[in-house]
Amino acid sequence: MFKKKIKRTNFISKYDTQEKTIDEVFEKAKKSSDFSSLSPIESNNRLQISFYKTLINIDLFHQSLLPSLMEKIESINKLDDIKRFIPIEGIKISSDGKEVEKSLHEGYVVIQLSEYKQDCVLISLENSRFGKRETNETENEFSVIGPKTGFIEDLSTNLHLLRSELVTSDLIFEEFVVGTRSQTKVVVSYLDGITNPEYVKTVRQRISNLDIDVLFDNTQLEQMISDHTTTPFPLYITTERVDRAVYALIQGHVALISDKSCYVVTGPSNLMDFFSSPEDYYLPWIVASFFKLIRIIGMLFSVFSTPFYVAILTFHFEVVPKDLLGPIVYSRANVPFPPAIEVLFLELTIEFLREAGARLPTKIGQTLGIVGGIVIGQATVEAALTSNILLIIVALSALSSFTTPIYKMSNAVRILRYPFILLAALYGGFGIYIGIILLITHLMRLKSLGNPYMIPLFPYRKGGIINSFSRPPFLFLKKRPSFLRPLTQKMYEPTINRDPEEGLNSE
């Protein structure tokens, strides 16, 4: 009979293992702007009420708990009296700092009497449905597998979603006000003890230096605090998915959440981050790695397919195989335009269809995209304005640009095609070579919160290369990326070492 050989190792952070007093718990919690500690005037400072505003049902607090306390304030002499007077279930008394901290993060209100400072009354006011609505499903970053919860245009709801996922006092929220006329609340979020303080300091400084009338959306804030403003490439990840924002935080990133915006901005980011999808971590690593390579290949195909077509048909006919030369000559026999004009015509047509489909109502836009693409494509080929081979290449190029999970990177890929097409029309393959050198030089100069944009490719980091082009097994994801310089390197410890014959039982 085969026996299971399982070695279990529990990894718990130093902060979670040490004993905590009530005062230490409150001192840590006060670093977050969503933590509130108040003393009603009627209590003459005898009563101290503490809670996270983003985790409790604030209506229940004002309509039920607070009036009941004020009505019986003179009769409260000990903590047990609160349990008798408050018409709410789930009330308990504790002096354990760790239990108090856990209860705070579960949506409890903590009440203290000045005579019993080391004992607390814990009253559950959790708002379990807060932010959990059908309307907060992700729209632009949809995945088949994994959670569908997304951020909405409400700061309290978004902070609640993050606080519910990361149940730790290490999650810090720092609130700023941006906009002299809009007074928009912006929250800088990070994990204390993990995120490098230099990143937090840089974000604080850049937000504090902003001078703007109205902040409409978080994507504006991203551009205003960007290291470089003259680049088509996004320097920060913009996401509407809660799981993606949480993963960025535990990696050691800084997250920016602003009121009236359903997008969270995380950084520092590098180029390869934009080709990773949250769904990669919900699929087997072999499948996820294949899909990630498909995205990278799709990006390269989208940028270089039409420029190579122009360069080959304008300057380098000799590289075309003999079997393919006949169909190309036949398809272009009646086309009056040079390859560059032919390509630009089709590329701009695709852009017109894409923009029209995005601006029209959903049902009309979908119909226009399908019918317009078929009709215009067929008509241009029959009118000899373009070749059918180029039509196929441009269609595949447009499809390839959509494989990028982040919409802003998809836009950058679309724009890159045009300078490469012009260089290919002027100088052929040599022009494409010049364009690649200029592109790589530009990417190497970019930074995100002071971090090189091309890392771990340049500067080269051996440990990050595998993560850039594939999704390794979880066994190799136990450490945070070293190039983020996190204060805590270890992310988790694998709990079991599997025997190859584990699970096989024979008598």
Side-chain angles (χ1 to χ4, degrees), residues 292-302 400:
K292 192 169 185 178
L293 284 174
I294 288 293
R295 294 185 207 114
I296 296 172
I297 294 171
M299 181 271 294
L300 295 174
F301 182 86
S302 179
S400 300

Side-chain angles (χ1 to χ4, degrees), residues 275-326:
F275 302 101
S276 295
S277 169
E279 197 172 20
D280 293 344
Y281 297 91
Y282 307 131
L283 294 171
W285 71 270
I286 297 177
V287 177
S289 298
F290 173 76
F291 289 156
K292 192 169 185 178
L293 284 174
I294 288 293
R295 294 185 207 114
I296 296 172
I297 294 171
M299 181 271 294
L300 295 174
F301 182 86
S302 179
V303 173
F304 295 109
S305 57
T306 47
F308 272 113
Y309 175 87
V310 172
I312 290 172
L313 293 191
T314 306
F315 294 95
H316 311 291
F317 260 111
E318 66 276 4
V319 303
V320 181
K322 292 181 180 180
D323 295 337
L324 189 59
L325 191 59

Side-chain angles (χ1 to χ4, degrees), residues 113-366:
L113 284 176
S114 58
E115 303 93 313
Y116 307 95
K117 289 294 284 185
Q118 296 306 315
D119 291 323
C120 301
V121 177
L122 309 176
I123 304 175
S124 177
L125 292 184
E126 180 187 7
N127 194 348
S128 59
R129 295 187 59 82
F130 191 52
K132 306 293 183 181
R133 301 182 289 108
E134 293 181 358
T135 53
N136 70 340
E137 291 188 0
T138 55
E139 295 182 4
N140 300 321
E141 294 179 79
F142 182 80
S143 65
V144 178
I145 302 174
K148 307 296 188 296
T149 308
F151 295 106
I152 63 172
E153 292 82 358
D154 181 74
L155 181 62
S156 297
T157 301
N158 295 339
L159 297 183
H160 165 81
L161 293 171
L162 287 177
R163 181 72 72 181
S164 299
E165 290 290 331
L166 291 170
V167 187
T168 172
S169 295
D170 289 334
L171 178 61
I172 305 299
F173 293 149
E174 294 185 13
E175 188 173 298
F176 296 82
V177 177
V178 177
T180 54
R181 298 186 184 274
S182 65
Q183 294 291 297
T184 305
K185 294 180 180 179
V186 175
V187 171
V188 177
S189 178
Y190 61 94
L191 282 176
D192 192 22
I194 293 178
T195 306
N196 193 302
E198 288 297 320
Y199 299 143
V200 182
K201 180 181 177 182
T202 302
V203 173
R204 282 198 204 109
Q205 181 179 0
R206 292 181 182 180
I207 292 179
S208 301
N209 292 337
L210 288 178
D211 186 8
I212 182 175
D213 281 351
V214 178
L215 180 67
F216 291 98
D217 190 77
N218 220 9
T219 51
Q220 283 184 308
L221 182 64
E222 171 200 355
Q223 298 176 58
M224 293 173 185
I225 66 169
S226 178
D227 298 62
H228 302 268
T229 57
T230 56
T231 178
F233 292 94
L235 302 182
Y236 301 94
I237 295 287
T238 305
T239 181
E240 61 177 347
R241 294 180 62 106
V242 176
D243 57 344
R244 183 155 202 155
V246 169
Y247 186 75
L249 285 170
I250 64 175
Q251 288 276 297
H253 294 251
V254 179
L256 295 178
I257 313 105
S258 67
D259 204 8
K260 304 178 183 64
S261 176
C262 61
Y263 288 96
V264 169
V265 175
T266 64
S269 302
N270 60 65
L271 178 65
M272 303 311 296
D273 286 341
F274 293 89
F275 302 101
S276 295
S277 169
E279 197 172 20
D280 293 344
Y281 297 91
Y282 307 131
L283 294 171
W285 71 270
I286 297 177
V287 177
S289 298
F290 173 76
F291 289 156
K292 192 169 185 178
L293 284 174
I294 288 293
R295 294 185 207 114
I296 296 172
I297 294 171
M299 181 271 294
L300 295 174
F301 182 86
S302 179
V303 173
F304 295 109
S305 57
T306 47
F308 272 113
Y309 175 87
V310 172
I312 290 172
L313 293 191
T314 306
F315 294 95
H316 311 291
F317 260 111
E318 66 276 4
V319 303
V320 181
K322 292 181 180 180
D323 295 337
L324 189 59
L325 191 59
I328 291 178
V329 172
Y330 177 77
S331 67
R332 284 190 46 80
N334 298 316
V335 177
F337 304 115
I341 301 299
E342 182 188 7
V343 167
L344 288 174
F345 172 76
L346 269 186
E347 288 284 4
L348 289 174
T349 302
I350 293 292
E351 295 297 333
F352 292 152
L353 285 172
R354 181 155 32 192
E355 284 299 307
R359 302 292 173 261
L360 290 172
T362 305
K363 294 183 179 179
I364 300 176
Q366 291 176 349

Side-chain angles (χ1 to χ4, degrees), residues 17-21 24 96 98:
T17 56
Q18 64 187 12
E19 294 295 329
K20 307 172 189 176
T21 65
E24 289 174 343
D96 184 5
K98 292 186 68 175

